[in-house]
Amino acid sequence: MPRESRIAGLFESSHLADAFAVTLPTGTQLTIESLAQAVFGDPSWWFRLLLKSRDLLVAPFGVKSSDALRAEIQASGKAHIDFFPVLSRSEHELVLGENDQHLNFKASVLVRALADDTGHELVATTVVHCNNRFGHFYLFVIGPFHRLVVRSNLARAVRRKQ
């Protein structure tokens, strides 16, 4: 876990905490907004399909659909990437997240220098705290997909930035 992340303090009390990193090609534009947009802003077709499936499965439990979340955030005028509200931003990190009755979710996109100082890496970190049994169940179901999606989105973001 990246200690320099603004969400680092949330790791110990979380039910899910993970971080995945990819090395950025030399010459990559390093603005945090453009990198976060590349990771979260234009999902692949198969992720959109997974999201639609998720929306159908959780609707009976009163969980908002991704379309409803997207409409709410766009109407609010708040900064966002897709349906994720931007909670904080610095030169090297953008934090997205949401709290609801079932779980609290934070995601960070962080650019940092490689340990050997030969370039940069892009780190996507996720922290989730469950508030009730449904939150735990939801996390159990989406957990394996989450890891696949984050890794895929990072790789796809790097390909787009080349």
Side-chain angles (χ1 to χ4, degrees):
M1 293 295 185
R3 282 180 249 152
E4 63 267 50
S5 174
R6 290 180 179 224
I7 64 174
L10 304 175
F11 299 151
E12 291 180 21
S13 66
S14 66
H15 295 101
L16 175 129
D18 59 25
F20 301 98
V22 291
T23 301
L24 292 169
T26 304
T28 300
Q29 183 185 9
L30 296 178
T31 66
I32 197 62
E33 288 83 6
S34 70
L35 291 168
Q37 184 67 34
V39 173
F40 292 111
D42 184 24
S44 62
W45 67 268
W46 62 266
F47 176 68
R48 288 191 300 267
L49 184 63
L50 279 174
L51 207 50
K52 291 291 181 195
S53 300
R54 171 245 179 233
D55 290 346
L56 292 171
L57 291 170
V58 299
F61 302 100
V63 176
K64 293 178 186 174
S65 72
S66 55
D67 288 338
L69 291 170
R70 202 172 281 112
E72 280 182 17
I73 194 72
Q74 288 172 354
S76 75
K78 295 178 184 175
H80 64 281
I81 295 180
D82 197 13
F83 54 83
F84 301 108
V86 174
L87 302 178
S88 68
R89 126 183 331 120
S90 69
E91 183 180 354
H92 299 289
E93 183 178 31
L94 193 131
V95 177
L96 307 164
E98 188 71 67
N99 296 338
D100 70 20
Q101 64 185 5
H102 303 298
L103 52 81
N104 301 337
F105 158 82
K106 304 287 181 285
S108 161
V109 177
L110 174 74
V111 175
R112 65 181 181 182
L114 292 169
D116 61 6
D117 243 358
T118 59
H120 292 86
E121 69 179 347
L122 181 63
V123 184
T125 305
T126 308
V127 179
V128 178
H129 177 80
C130 299
N131 296 327
N132 55 34
R133 287 183 188 181
F134 182 78
H136 285 280
F137 175 73
Y138 180 80
L139 190 58
F140 174 77
V141 171
I142 65 135
F145 299 105
H146 159 78
R147 294 184 233 352
L148 177 67
V149 166
V150 173
R151 288 178 176 149
S152 174
N153 284 0
L154 279 171
R156 191 167 183 246
V158 168
R159 285 192 307 273
R160 291 171 146 189
K161 288 294 179 181
Q162 291 181 345

